Amino acid sequence: MSARRAEVGDEVEYAPGRRAVVTDIRGGEYYLRSPGNREWPVRDPGALTVKRTRAERVAAGDLW
């Protein structure tokens, strides 16, 4: 996956081996959620690595 800014619906890596989905961007602040967890704000959106775009997740039938 190329280095690009995460968008709503993208699956991202926010720490080594830790993945979540971008659920919202409010006032420039990114929010993530992973299965079984509440949504939380991201302190450094520039550190997010896009692993799968929303379109890739839709194509794979993997929306959670």
Side-chain angles (χ1 to χ4, degrees), residues 1-22:
M1 173 69 33
S2 64
R4 71 168 188 78
R5 195 88 161 151
E7 298 176 5
V8 172
D10 290 351
E11 181 181 31
V12 297
E13 188 172 68
Y14 61 91
R18 306 289 300 218
R19 291 188 181 195
V21 172
V22 177

Side-chain angles (χ1 to χ4, degrees), residues 4-6 12-15 22 30 32 42 44-50:
R4 71 168 188 78
R5 195 88 161 151
V12 297
E13 188 172 68
Y14 61 91
V22 177
Y30 283 61
L32 302 180
V42 175
D44 181 11
L48 298 175
T49 302
V50 176

Side-chain angles (χ1 to χ4, degrees), residues 1-2 6 10 27 33-34 51 55-56 63:
M1 173 69 33
S2 64
D10 290 351
R33 183 180 306 230
S34 59
K51 293 301 188 178
E56 290 169 328
L63 291 177

Side-chain angles (χ1 to χ4, degrees), residues 37-54:
N37 291 307
R38 291 181 175 221
E39 185 178 71
W40 71 92
V42 175
R43 293 182 187 194
D44 181 11
L48 298 175
T49 302
V50 176
K51 293 301 188 178
R52 292 189 304 161
T53 64
R54 181 181 188 283

